[in-house]
Amino acid sequence: MNHVLRECIGKIVVVYFDDILIYSRSQDDHIGHLREVLMLLRQNHLFANVEKCTFCVDHVVFLGFIVSKEKVRVDPEKIKVIQEWPKPKNVSEVRSFHGLASFYRRFVPNFSSIASPLNELVKKDVSFEWTSKHDHAFQLLKEQLTNAPILALPNFEKTFELECDASRVGIGAVLLQGGHPIAYFSEKLKGATLNYPTYDKELYALVRALQTWEHYLVSKEFVIHNDHESLKYLRGQGKLNKTHAKWLEFLEQFPYIIKFKKGKSNVVADALSRRHALLMSLGTQILGFDNIRELYEKYLEFGVNYQKCQQKAFEGFYMAEGYLYKEGRLCIPQGSIRKLLIKESHEGGLMGHFGVDKTLSLLKEKFYWPHMRKDVQKHCFRCLACLQAKSKVMPHGTYTPLPVASSPWVDISMDFVLGLPRTQRGMDSIFVVVDRFSKMAHFIPCYKVDDARNIAKLFFRDVVKLHGLPKSIVLDRDTKFLSHFWRILWSRLGTKLLFSTTCHPQTDGQTEVVNRSLSTMLRVVLKANHKSWDEYFPHIEFAYNRVVHKTTNISPFEAVYGFNPLTPLDLIPLPNVEHFIHKEGASRAKFVKKIHERIKTHIQLQNEKYAK
């Protein structure tokens, strides 16, 4: 079911085995979403049982919960069973009651601590003896579930708040927004955790809460309210034992602020008063990099090098304006800023959800920290847009390497991508032009019915005006390219046309690979906007030509022009460092020639490797 509805999951549909929940903002939208899901089921020969379906309602019972527009609450039918549950008479009955009650533990604050006496009864080699403390826990759980609070649904536009606490036998936490609980978490302490000092228990409660709600909290700054004041100085500890170091390494993935809360202080008003400060702090982290100078000494991965570089450069590390650099790249300490930089390099305004290698190459141009590849892999493998849009099916057969070109835009290849949804301007195809040397590509929206004359106009308008005329063009046997007009035009201009074999696209393998990459980028960037794909082409073309190409080992932009254009990462006000290594005049010409020689070598090596 997940495979059949993969295009809708996370947008309009939630699937659990064979249960399908469709949600919408309005009734008109809901009718359209319902039709879309039913059509997908029909196409895959799946059927829905009408007797078990409900349509166009403002609340629904789903997996034992009643879900409405803004809230989630327990199903009264299930609570009725718990209310009428008789007093357990053996271990098996205790286990059954505890299992049913645990299903709704997210609605009960400190569930584990309350249920602790019942847990003792189900342990191995413990004789069953029902006492007053067990009866008290049993009745209290029934009462708590009977009066279970209504939980709010998360709003990712608002700031999350997290409250944690620890007791002698258990830990608990609540996730809130605007004072309304989103979910409760609790856990009974056992083994070594029972012997933790108070500080360690409070810190452990915070770590477990963040592990539970990581998907809510990792992407946006939030407030942690805690009644253990020493946790306020968590980031400033000088010496750490092994356990604390492990926990702090995990905590630094999150953009959080810890706030001490006395007793039952007003969490809502306090969080609202801090919201502007939170956003300003986040803006400083992204744009100013002012805070990272203070963090170098605090983290083991840079602390030693930072101290040594105070005197002189050390193993590629050096200091400039208070910042630590490694071979010209700014060192980034552990913290949320790393995730923000990875996210910008992978899916930012002018990026294209590229894979690990290309995302990593963009980051490595300006930044450095240990284990960068591991962090980038973690982000890319969890990117929902990539998981939904990218195919793992490899092309059939191998592509034929063509002779290595001598310079940019002298030898090119052309192809068409057909069968796309018609846009508002009537476009339904893409004219793809690829330079065989630099691997630079131009994606030109067109009409399927365009003849050779119109295609020639597009080529002169978008390619010739920028790069001049090519010496040779590799094309397939499309009727547009076989026309008398097309042949006469290029013979008069002195350009040689090289046609691929009929029904053998592997001959023009380079363009086929570009077409596949283009299709993937369209799926990732467009998402549901199928009628406006032609408006995204400046973005897609820039992203494709800006990243490092595997064959040439540099970006198509740099191969043609000798330098890379600016991206949003280049606009960050970094400390003054020379990023462009080319010079004007004669030295720039030599620089570009060296690049071209290097590219030819890389292409030849890749062709030889591919041939093997």
Side-chain angles (χ1 to χ4, degrees):
M1 193 63 70
N2 283 277
H3 179 74
V4 170
L5 298 175
R6 62 188 181 279
E7 295 178 1
C8 303
I9 291 175
K11 299 174 184 174
I12 59 171
V13 163
V14 173
V15 175
Y16 184 79
F17 290 105
D18 59 349
D19 288 330
I20 303 171
L21 177 66
I22 306 169
Y23 55 91
S24 312
R25 292 186 179 275
S26 67
Q27 188 162 344
D28 291 339
D29 289 344
H30 192 61
I31 298 298
H33 295 160
L34 189 59
R35 182 179 290 109
E36 184 179 347
V37 172
L38 292 176
M39 286 298 292
L40 285 171
L41 295 177
R42 175 184 286 180
Q43 290 167 12
N44 289 274
H45 309 292
L46 296 170
F47 303 90
N49 187 340
V50 178
E51 294 178 359
K52 293 184 178 180
C53 296
T54 54
F55 302 99
C56 301
V57 294
D58 59 0
H59 67 277
V60 64
V61 178
F62 186 67
L63 304 179
F65 302 101
I66 297 179
V67 184
S68 59
K69 181 179 178 182
E70 296 176 345
K71 298 173 182 177
V72 180
R73 64 183 190 273
V74 297
D75 183 359
E77 292 297 320
K78 295 287 192 299
I79 295 301
K80 188 177 179 182
V81 174
I82 295 174
Q83 288 173 332
E84 297 173 354
W85 198 283
K87 189 182 295 184
K89 297 178 180 177
N90 52 51
V91 173
S92 179
E93 290 181 4
V94 173
R95 226 181 244 122
S96 298
F97 172 78
H98 189 276
L100 181 59
S102 293
F103 184 74
Y104 291 110
R105 66 187 301 149
R106 65 179 292 194
F107 290 85
V108 180
N110 301 313
F111 179 93
S112 293
S113 298
I114 296 172
S116 179
L118 299 181
N119 289 331
E120 298 295 327
L121 284 176
V122 298
K123 284 184 177 179
K124 192 176 180 180
D125 299 328
V126 174
S127 59
F128 180 82
E129 185 179 349
W130 190 263
T131 64
S132 58
K133 69 173 183 179
H134 301 117
D135 193 63
H136 175 72
F138 176 67
Q139 297 299 336
L140 185 57
L141 270 181
K142 289 171 70 172
E143 181 186 343
Q144 291 278 356
L145 287 167
T146 304
N147 302 307
I150 297 174
L151 300 182
L153 294 173
N155 182 348
F156 291 93
E157 300 299 319
K158 296 180 179 179
T159 301
F160 283 103
E161 302 155 21
L162 183 63
E163 291 188 5
C164 305
D165 201 4
S167 65
R168 185 175 55 84
V169 295
I171 57 174
V174 55
L175 184 67
L176 306 109
Q177 269 187 337
H180 298 290
I182 305 292
Y184 293 100
F185 164 77
S186 64
E187 183 180 281
K188 183 178 180 293
L189 296 176
K190 54 188 176 182
T193 55
L194 277 169
N195 300 320
Y196 281 170
T198 304
Y199 176 83
D200 285 20
K201 285 181 179 177
E202 295 282 353
L203 185 54
Y204 178 67
L206 177 57
V207 170
R208 289 292 294 119
L210 292 179
Q211 288 173 343
T212 304
W213 295 316
E214 181 177 357
H215 52 292
Y216 287 133
L217 303 172
V218 75
S219 60
K220 188 177 180 182
E221 197 145 16
F222 60 96
V223 182
I224 298 171
H225 297 280
N226 195 283
D227 58 4
H228 197 72
E229 192 167 10
S230 59
L231 285 182
K232 281 172 57 178
Y233 311 104
L234 197 59
R235 285 173 166 156
Q237 293 186 76
K239 295 182 180 180
L240 296 171
N241 61 36
K242 192 174 180 180
T243 304
H244 287 180
K246 183 180 176 181
W247 287 345
L248 286 180
E249 183 183 8
F250 172 73
L251 290 175
E252 283 308 308
Q253 299 178 58
F254 296 88
Y256 65 87
I257 282 180
I258 294 182
K259 191 168 179 61
F260 175 61
K261 175 179 72 72
K262 290 184 180 179
K264 299 180 179 179
S265 60
N266 190 345
V267 174
V268 182
D270 203 54
L272 290 174
S273 68
R274 290 282 297 191
R275 182 166 185 180
H276 180 69
L278 290 181
L279 297 175
M280 289 298 291
S281 172
L282 186 60
T284 303
Q285 287 180 11
I286 298 172
L287 298 176
F289 287 87
D290 295 330
N291 296 340
I292 69 173
R293 285 182 289 196
E294 304 167 7
L295 301 177
Y296 288 128
E297 290 183 280
K298 296 179 182 178
Y299 295 101
L300 297 173
E301 53 193 8
F302 288 127
V304 176
N305 292 325
Y306 181 80
Q307 292 295 336
K308 290 181 178 179
C309 289
Q310 298 286 348
Q311 310 298 327
K312 60 178 181 177
F314 174 74
E315 294 183 356
F317 289 93
Y318 63 90
M319 297 286 296
E321 301 180 18
Y323 293 92
L324 184 64
Y325 289 87
K326 167 101 186 244
E327 297 170 354
R329 295 176 291 161
L330 181 65
C331 296
I332 304 296
Q334 178 74 32
S336 59
I337 194 167
R338 288 185 181 177
K339 288 197 173 186
L340 293 168
L341 290 172
I342 293 173
K343 188 174 181 180
E344 180 61 40
S345 301
H346 180 67
E347 56 192 271
L350 290 174
M351 296 299 113
H353 284 266
F354 294 107
V356 174
D357 291 335
K358 292 183 177 180
T359 303
L360 185 63
S361 68
L362 280 167
L363 264 181
K364 279 187 171 181
E365 288 178 12
K366 291 180 174 60
F367 305 106
Y368 168 81
W369 65 82
H371 313 299
M372 287 180 77
R373 174 173 286 275
K374 186 178 177 182
D375 293 342
V376 172
Q377 279 180 336
K378 185 178 179 181
H379 182 88
C380 291
F381 293 163
R382 292 181 177 182
C383 177
L384 185 60
C386 293
L387 291 172
Q388 290 177 334
K390 293 185 179 180
S391 171
K392 293 183 180 179
V393 179
M394 299 302 292
H396 300 290
T398 56
Y399 294 130
T400 306
L402 295 169
V404 179
S406 59
S407 58
W409 292 101
V410 171
D411 302 286
I412 66 172
S413 56
M414 297 179 182
D415 201 3
F416 289 96
V417 178
L418 305 173
L420 297 174
R422 194 179 299 277
T423 68
Q424 294 176 353
R425 294 192 295 165
M427 305 289 183
D428 57 3
S429 304
I430 306 169
F431 178 32
V432 180
V433 184
V434 186
D435 172 34
R436 283 170 44 202
F437 181 80
S438 67
K439 311 306 177 186
M440 179 176 274
H442 290 299
F443 308 128
I444 308 166
C446 62
Y447 306 97
K448 186 178 180 180
V449 296
D450 278 342
D451 58 12
R453 189 182 299 273
N454 289 325
I455 296 301
K457 284 182 180 178
L458 294 175
F459 183 77
F460 275 80
R461 186 193 71 187
D462 293 313
V463 179
V464 173
K465 77 172 183 182
L466 297 174
H467 311 292
L469 291 168
K471 286 185 178 179
S472 70
I473 305 176
V474 177
L475 334 99
D476 62 13
R477 294 184 174 272
D478 191 285
T479 53
K480 298 177 179 64
F481 298 145
L482 294 172
S483 71
H484 179 72
F485 168 81
W486 189 260
R487 289 170 178 267
I488 295 298
L489 170 67
W490 293 110
S491 65
R492 295 258 176 105
L493 292 172
T495 297
K496 187 178 180 181
L497 299 179
L498 306 172
F499 293 100
S500 61
T501 310
T502 306
C503 301
H504 195 265
Q506 290 93 331
T507 304
D508 187 12
Q510 174 181 266
T511 315
E512 299 300 328
V513 170
V514 173
N515 289 354
R516 198 168 70 244
S517 299
L518 172 60
S519 301
T520 301
M521 289 178 70
L522 278 170
R523 286 196 298 271
V524 170
V525 173
L526 288 178
K527 297 178 182 175
N529 303 322
H530 295 160
K531 295 290 185 180
S532 58
W533 55 261
D534 56 334
E535 296 175 8
Y536 287 78
F537 269 39
H539 167 187
I540 291 173
E541 187 174 306
F542 178 90
Y544 180 85
N545 290 324
R546 174 60 182 82
V547 294
V548 172
H549 197 282
K550 186 179 179 180
T551 303
T552 61
N553 224 24
I554 62 174
S555 72
F557 265 124
E558 189 174 1
V560 174
Y561 302 116
F563 64 91
N564 278 315
L566 300 181
T567 66
L569 283 176
D570 297 289
L571 302 179
I572 295 173
L574 291 168
N576 293 325
V577 179
E578 289 295 328
H579 295 299
F580 298 107
I581 58 173
H582 67 271
K583 305 294 181 183
E584 295 300 324
S587 59
R588 184 180 185 280
K590 289 179 183 177
F591 173 75
V592 174
K593 281 183 180 178
K594 285 182 181 178
I595 283 181
H596 291 177
E597 289 170 6
R598 200 167 78 228
I599 289 170
K600 287 172 73 173
T601 305
H602 278 297
I603 294 174
Q604 287 169 348
L605 288 172
Q606 285 292 330
N607 286 351
E608 290 170 8
K609 195 183 295 183
Y610 192 76
K612 291 176 184 178

